[in-house]
C-alpha cells in the first residue's frame, strides 16, 4: 500500500490492489471519514478540511486490513 504525499496538504492518494474500504481516524480514534470502494487501485481523499496533525488510515484490501499513518500539514 502506498500513501502519498506524506505529509499531505489538501489531497492524499492511496494506491493498492483491490481497495474496498478506507477509514480515516484522528488522534483520538474518532472517525473523520469512511468510504467503500469496488476493488479500486487508487483512492483520492480530500484532506483540505482536516486540522493539522497525525491521522490513522484503516485500509481494507480484499480480506485484510492495513493501517497507515499520515500527517496533515
Amino acid at each position: 500500500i502506498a500513501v502519498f504525499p506524506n505529509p499531505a496538504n489538501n489531497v492524499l492518494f492511496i494506491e493498492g490492489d483491490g481497495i474496498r474500504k478506507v477509514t480515516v481516524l484522528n488522534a483520538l480514534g474518532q472517525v473523520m471519514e469512511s468510504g467503500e470502494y469496488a476493488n479500486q487501485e487508487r483512492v483520492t481523499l480530500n484532506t483540505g478540511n482536516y486540522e493539522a496533525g497525525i491521522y490513522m488510515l484503516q485500509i481494507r484490501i480484499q480480506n485484510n486490513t492495513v493501517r497507515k499513518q499520515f500527517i496533515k500539514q
Side-chain angles (χ1 to χ4, degrees):
I1 300 294
V3 176
F4 61 93
N6 194 4
N9 286 316
N10 295 315
V11 177
L12 184 72
F13 299 102
I14 303 166
E15 289 186 347
D17 189 27
I19 299 171
R20 293 187 177 185
K21 184 174 182 180
V22 175
T23 304
V24 181
L25 305 167
N26 66 14
L28 300 175
Q30 299 166 323
V31 175
M32 300 293 294
E33 180 176 352
S34 186
E36 296 194 21
Y37 306 93
N39 292 318
Q40 297 290 323
E41 291 185 6
R42 186 175 204 181
V43 173
T44 303
L45 296 179
N46 180 352
T47 58
N49 60 342
Y50 291 10
E51 295 289 324
I54 298 172
Y55 294 85
M56 179 67 67
L57 294 168
Q58 291 181 342
I59 306 162
R60 180 98 172 151
I61 296 181
Q62 297 168 1
N63 295 322
N64 297 315
T65 300
V66 176
R67 289 175 179 81
K68 294 279 189 174
Q69 206 174 59
F70 77 94
I71 297 170
K72 167 64 166 90
Q73 286 187 328

